[in-house]
Amino acid sequence: MSSAGRWARRRHPAADEPLFVYGTLQFPAVLHELLGRTPGLEAATASGRRVAALPERVYPGLVPALAAVAPGFLLHGLTPPEWRVLDAFEDDEYDLRPIPVHAGDRETYAWTYVWTAAVAEKDWSATEFRAARLPSYVEMCAAWRRDLALLTETA
């Protein structure tokens, strides 16, 4: 996770532009702790990408992989403050970019946080994360959000 000082470095998409989430942000409990609500989740996939495990991290990174298809969800209706929270939450090794995705019976573009650093050879497992890490990760997200609120109140 990164600091709030990075907020001004990125263009924030408009509220009608979806965000493709593929890792910890696909869990409603995580979104609720970070945003104070759970936006609607629409099943989607990103062809030519994989959800890679990251060295010494519990969350994944989205990276190119020709024959792969990354499962995830589209988040719709994020507000500018919510985009800023998510941007502050993501590590500096993520880059917010639009990518093609498939949702329902349509192809569209969505923003996503793509990983730009080293990855593990294995894929990240949402099932394993849910079973072994989700409760403690949700608690960490709640603490991070409280710290962010304190930081922005004093800025």
Side-chain angles (χ1 to χ4, degrees):
M1 288 167 292
S2 181
S3 68
R6 189 172 60 147
W7 284 4
R9 290 191 359 208
R10 291 198 175 130
R11 170 195 179 271
H12 293 104
D16 64 340
E17 296 179 286
L19 175 67
F20 178 72
V21 295
Y22 52 86
T24 61
L25 294 179
Q26 69 183 298
F27 293 96
V30 171
L31 291 168
H32 184 76
E33 288 302 333
L34 294 175
L35 304 177
R37 72 180 185 101
T38 303
L41 297 164
E42 177 186 11
T45 58
S47 296
R49 310 257 177 187
R50 77 179 181 98
V51 181
L54 302 178
E56 300 180 30
R57 292 179 168 96
V58 300
Y59 50 87
L62 189 68
V63 295
L66 290 178
V69 176
F73 295 91
L74 295 179
L75 298 182
H76 295 280
L78 293 171
T79 66
E82 290 170 337
W83 279 107
R84 287 190 296 272
V85 167
L86 294 176
D87 195 43
F89 182 71
E90 297 295 356
D91 277 338
D92 287 336
E93 289 89 357
Y94 287 105
D95 189 24
L96 185 61
R97 298 180 191 163
I99 63 166
V101 297
H102 184 84
D105 61 355
R106 70 188 193 286
E107 294 287 331
T108 188
Y109 277 83
W111 291 91
T112 196
Y113 289 97
V114 297
W115 187 253
T116 61
V119 299
E121 289 187 31
K122 70 176 192 165
D123 288 343
W124 183 81
S125 169
T127 303
E128 290 174 15
F129 175 82
R130 180 184 296 112
R133 305 273 188 169
L134 183 58
S136 62
Y137 194 82
V138 168
E139 288 177 17
M140 183 274 313
C141 289
W144 178 88
R145 187 65 173 104
R146 284 190 300 273
D147 290 347
L148 181 65
L150 290 173
L151 179 64
T152 56
E153 286 175 8
T154 59

